[in-house]
Amino acid sequence: MVDDVHEKRPFISKLPMEKEDLLLFVNADVEPKTKYVDELTERVRSFSSRQPSAVVGIGGGSVMDLAKAVSLMLTNPGSSADYQGWDLVKHPAVYHVGLPTLAGTGAEVSRTAILTGPVRKLGINSDYTPFDQIILDPDLLEGAPADQRFYTAMDSYIHGAEALRGKFINEYSRAYAEKSMELCREVFLGELNEHVADEKLMIASYFGGLSIAYSQVGVCHALSYGLSYVLGARHGVGNCVIFSHLEEYYPVEVREFRTMVAKHRIPLPREMTKGLDDHQMSEMIRVALSLDPLWQNALGPDWKKIMTPEKARELYLRL
Amino acid sequence: MVDDVHEKRPFISKLPMEKEDLLLFVNADVEPKTKYVDELTERVRSFSSRQPSAVVGIGGGSVMDLAKAVSLMLTNPGSSADYQGWDLVKHPAVYHVGLPTLAGTGAEVSRTAILTGPVRKLGINSDYTPFDQIILDPDLLEGAPADQRFYTAMDSYIHGAEALRGKFINEYSRAYAEKSMELCREVFLGELNEHVADEKLMIASYFGGLSIAYSQVGVCHALSYGLSYVLGARHGVGNCVIFSHLEEYYPVEVREFRTMVAKHRIPLPREMTKGLDDHQMSEMIRVALSLDPLWQNALGPDWKKIMTPEKARELYLRL
């Protein structure tokens, strides 16, 4: 499964395809949907009566998540929407391998495959979700647009900030989060040549993902899920827009983030929530506030007293 | 398999033993020998006609290595001495789990089980060697003598130094090595309470081990293997004594190391090689110089022109 933006790239012709392999170009213009996962799973099933030996995903976070989800759905009955949640998967997935072509999401190591379903944006979180094997090849990062590279990289910076300021933090996750953020700093505040920067970004993403694996994300990710659910906003850019307004929760980190945005002249979208109707705003708030573990981590067990629907609305209106 | 120094510790009575479990206290007063691994494997075999479901090692680096080696030898024929080297193991091991009670060696994550055999001190390095599962519980570090805690922790500091100054370095290993050394600094140059320090030491060890997994150790470890082979010196203390004399190769790191030694009033042994006869010295040099990958990493492909037997002797005489 290869992101269709790579259809013309030279590495495609170098893929060591065998007769019975299926090369599936997948579209990631919008965030992955459960319906799309079910369609792709069906295409794999109809290609051969035998289960594939492996599913290989080559692309950004969305393709990583699609590959993980398809590998799970090949061995589990029903729709992928049935498995959005925690530990609902019953059977081990088909062996699956990830090759990220964008660095930052941590999807290459995470225990989740984040999907937008009929009711919510929520991952398939299970012990069977993580890749069996990953290949981190910085050459695959070449050619990504500068804005997209930045937005995606900031996902791992934000993972670090949310892990470190969260209640679930521990020394394992702290070490990974601190180093991940430090690598982001080296890349976006230092002066590295591009190849070294790409290598460091791949490790920043990997460390950010491992940090979250034993802790949890927070305010920014919860709000970002609501935003993506209603507006279809890409995770990376949604995160960046939201994070820049969260000085109240991540003061030092938001200031540093803004310095990086300014240095790289990244155009953050404005007025994203302008003109939304009441129903859309309510849906956005509903989805965001349904993510209990994220709010527990960010604000503690009494989070509902702090992050009321009114407060969430106020934060969304800042965007 | 539990280090016999823990025989009287309260956690022993809490081990959830079942009827067909074998509790094997093992001795780690000297570095693990291939002969001892073969004996332990035989004891497990004679306990039951069935293969165990799992081997669990609880102890320091030596017990980690013994547990890894026994789990391999239960499924592979011959003596463990036959497998000292790289990728000689043919069959997957019995499922094996590690619970370190000392932090620093990285044995809980390494791809090796280091053994002293009839001809050399060299690990069983293979894809089947690493533990299937590890449990990092800082409570298990309590009660270790301060000197031993320091010597073992410095193993991970030295792993970091050797990885970072080595030719095999890459951004994966660099990130792990830098963070591992930073954690050692926090613990031994900072003022942490003991519980937090123990947690950080466990992560420092883990990160140091992961750094080495994709790079290599260097001058200190090569010389230390020779020292252990001839004098039976424990790896941790041997490393520390040698490292303190390696300013020529690791200038900044050796100075920082000495600051930590001084701050914690650690009594480094002196005159370790005094009174050795010619045969012992030659053996020590032979074992050290047989470790080609370590010297390649430390000094490059032409290492034999730099690290001559005469130079190795000179370094050993400094101890």
Side-chain angles (χ1 to χ4, degrees):
Chain A
M1 298 171 58
V2 183
D3 192 319
D4 61 13
V5 300
H6 298 312
E7 205 158 346
K8 302 277 181 253
R9 286 199 42 202
F11 77 76
I12 296 294
S13 62
K14 287 192 228 154
L15 293 174
M17 301 289 293
E18 305 270 338
K19 207 172 56 182
E20 291 183 87
D21 288 344
L22 170 64
L23 176 58
L24 207 56
F25 285 107
V26 298
N27 187 273
D29 290 343
V30 295
E31 299 264 300
K33 294 195 165 41
T34 52
K35 193 159 161 273
Y36 190 41
V37 170
D38 296 346
E39 281 169 28
L40 290 169
T41 307
E42 214 35 66
R43 280 183 63 185
V44 176
R45 283 206 182 107
S46 63
F47 177 75
S48 169
S49 56
R50 288 187 305 145
Q51 202 69 288
S53 339
V55 172
V56 181
I58 306 178
S62 294
V63 175
M64 295 291 103
D65 284 347
L66 285 169
K68 289 195 274 186
V70 167
S71 74
L72 287 164
M73 295 315 299
L74 284 168
T75 56
N76 285 279
S79 162
S80 53
D82 304 337
Y83 300 96
Q84 286 182 283
W86 280 271
D87 302 306
L88 303 171
V89 177
K90 295 279 178 297
H91 305 290
V94 166
Y95 191 91
H96 46 305
V97 181
L99 287 89
T101 62
L102 277 171
T105 67
E108 64 277 21
V109 282
S110 75
R111 197 179 166 271
T112 191
I114 297 166
L115 302 174
T116 304
V119 188
R120 54 176 56 88
K121 180 177 175 189
L122 180 61
I124 302 180
N125 299 271
S126 85
D127 283 345
Y128 302 126
T129 308
F131 286 113
D132 296 284
Q133 189 182 351
I134 60 174
I135 300 175
L136 303 183
D137 179 351
D139 291 350
L140 291 176
L141 300 186
E142 278 169 26
D147 293 2
Q148 195 179 17
R149 179 172 182 267
F150 183 87
Y151 295 141
T152 309
M154 283 303 111
D155 199 4
S156 74
Y157 183 85
I158 297 168
H159 285 157
E162 292 182 310
L164 290 173
R165 296 257 176 207
K167 314 288 182 195
F168 300 175
I169 193 65
N170 53 71
E171 293 301 327
Y172 175 96
S173 291
R174 184 190 304 282
Y176 276 114
E178 286 176 351
K179 192 67 191 178
S180 178
M181 295 176 81
E182 189 182 311
L183 289 164
C184 288
R185 256 172 235 128
E186 285 184 54
V187 170
F188 292 109
L189 297 176
E191 303 296 335
L192 300 174
N193 81 53
E194 199 171 331
H195 188 75
V196 174
D198 280 348
E199 293 196 349
K200 286 186 189 281
L201 272 187
M202 284 222 134
I203 305 301
S205 176
Y206 181 72
F207 274 38
L210 286 171
S211 175
I212 292 304
Y214 281 103
S215 60
Q216 186 51 277
V217 286
V219 179
C220 183
H221 274 73
L223 293 174
S224 178
Y225 280 22
L227 195 73
S228 289
Y229 182 81
V230 171
L231 292 177
R234 299 310 313 264
H235 182 65
V237 65
N239 269 355
C240 282
V241 171
I242 294 167
F243 195 66
S244 69
H245 294 285
L246 294 184
E247 211 163 348
E248 188 175 341
Y249 305 97
Y250 309 104
V252 184
E253 298 83 354
V254 169
R255 279 197 296 276
E256 185 167 71
F257 167 79
R258 287 188 193 138
T259 309
M260 295 191 267
V261 168
K263 173 164 174 170
H264 292 271
R265 296 194 184 81
I266 303 297
L268 286 185
R270 288 161 181 269
E271 306 192 335
M272 282 188 95
T273 53
K274 198 177 174 181
L276 284 187
D277 63 31
D278 278 358
H279 175 70
Q280 287 175 308
M281 181 56 89
S282 305
E283 277 292 275
M284 211 149 77
I285 295 167
R286 179 186 64 76
V287 170
L289 296 188
S290 75
L291 298 162
D292 184 73
L294 284 65
W295 296 109
Q296 291 259 4
N297 178 51
L299 305 171
D302 290 335
W303 67 266
K304 286 184 184 173
K305 291 184 191 145
I306 305 165
M307 190 50 61
T308 59
E310 295 68 39
K311 179 67 187 177
R313 177 186 308 269
E314 189 228 294
L315 290 170
Y316 273 132
L317 288 174
R318 290 186 199 171
L319 312 187
Chain B
M1 297 172 58
V2 184
D3 191 320
D4 60 14
V5 299
H6 299 312
E7 205 159 346
K8 303 275 179 253
R9 283 197 47 201
F11 78 76
I12 296 295
S13 62
K14 288 192 228 153
L15 293 174
M17 303 288 293
E18 305 268 339
K19 207 173 56 183
E20 291 183 87
D21 288 345
L22 170 64
L23 177 59
L24 208 55
F25 285 106
V26 298
N27 186 272
D29 291 342
V30 294
E31 299 264 298
K33 293 195 164 41
T34 52
K35 194 159 160 271
Y36 191 41
V37 169
D38 296 347
E39 280 169 28
L40 290 169
T41 307
E42 215 33 67
R43 280 183 63 185
V44 175
R45 282 205 182 109
S46 63
F47 177 75
S48 167
S49 56
R50 290 187 303 148
Q51 201 70 288
S53 336
V55 172
V56 181
I58 305 178
S62 294
V63 175
M64 296 291 102
D65 284 349
L66 285 169
K68 289 194 276 188
V70 167
S71 74
L72 286 163
M73 294 316 298
L74 284 168
T75 56
N76 286 278
S79 162
S80 52
D82 303 338
Y83 300 97
Q84 286 182 282
W86 281 269
D87 302 307
L88 303 172
V89 177
K90 294 280 178 297
H91 305 291
V94 166
Y95 191 91
H96 47 306
V97 182
L99 287 89
T101 62
L102 277 171
T105 67
E108 65 277 21
V109 282
S110 74
R111 196 179 167 274
T112 190
I114 298 166
L115 302 175
T116 304
V119 187
R120 55 176 55 86
K121 180 178 174 186
L122 180 61
I124 302 179
N125 300 271
S126 85
D127 284 345
Y128 302 125
T129 308
F131 285 112
D132 295 285
Q133 189 182 349
I134 59 172
I135 300 175
L136 303 183
D137 180 349
D139 291 350
L140 291 176
L141 299 186
E142 278 169 25
D147 293 2
Q148 194 179 17
R149 179 172 182 265
F150 183 87
Y151 295 141
T152 310
M154 283 303 110
D155 198 4
S156 74
Y157 183 85
I158 296 167
H159 285 156
E162 292 182 309
L164 289 173
R165 297 256 175 208
K167 315 288 182 196
F168 298 176
I169 193 65
N170 52 71
E171 292 302 328
Y172 175 96
S173 292
R174 184 189 304 281
Y176 276 114
E178 287 177 349
K179 192 67 191 178
S180 178
M181 295 177 81
E182 190 182 310
L183 289 165
C184 289
R185 256 172 234 129
E186 285 184 53
V187 170
F188 292 109
L189 297 175
E191 303 296 335
L192 299 173
N193 81 54
E194 200 172 328
H195 189 74
V196 174
D198 280 348
E199 293 196 350
K200 286 186 189 284
L201 271 187
M202 284 220 135
I203 305 302
S205 176
Y206 180 72
F207 274 37
L210 286 170
S211 175
I212 292 304
Y214 281 103
S215 60
Q216 187 50 277
V217 285
V219 180
C220 183
H221 273 74
L223 294 175
S224 179
Y225 280 22
L227 195 72
S228 289
Y229 183 81
V230 171
L231 292 177
R234 300 309 313 264
H235 181 64
V237 65
N239 270 355
C240 282
V241 170
I242 294 167
F243 195 65
S244 69
H245 293 284
L246 294 183
E247 211 164 347
E248 187 175 342
Y249 305 96
Y250 309 105
V252 184
E253 297 83 354
V254 169
R255 278 196 297 276
E256 185 168 70
F257 167 79
R258 287 189 193 140
T259 310
M260 294 192 267
V261 168
K263 173 164 174 172
H264 292 271
R265 296 194 185 83
I266 303 296
L268 286 185
R270 289 161 180 268
E271 305 192 337
M272 282 188 93
T273 52
K274 199 176 174 182
L276 283 187
D277 64 31
D278 278 358
H279 175 70
Q280 286 174 309
M281 180 57 88
S282 306
E283 276 292 275
M284 212 149 75
I285 294 166
R286 179 187 63 77
V287 170
L289 296 187
S290 75
L291 298 161
D292 183 73
L294 284 65
W295 295 109
Q296 291 258 5
N297 179 51
L299 304 172
D302 289 335
W303 67 266
K304 285 182 184 171
K305 291 183 192 146
I306 305 164
M307 189 51 60
T308 58
E310 294 68 39
K311 179 69 187 176
R313 178 187 307 270
E314 188 228 294
L315 289 170
Y316 274 133
L317 288 175
R318 290 187 199 170
L319 312 186

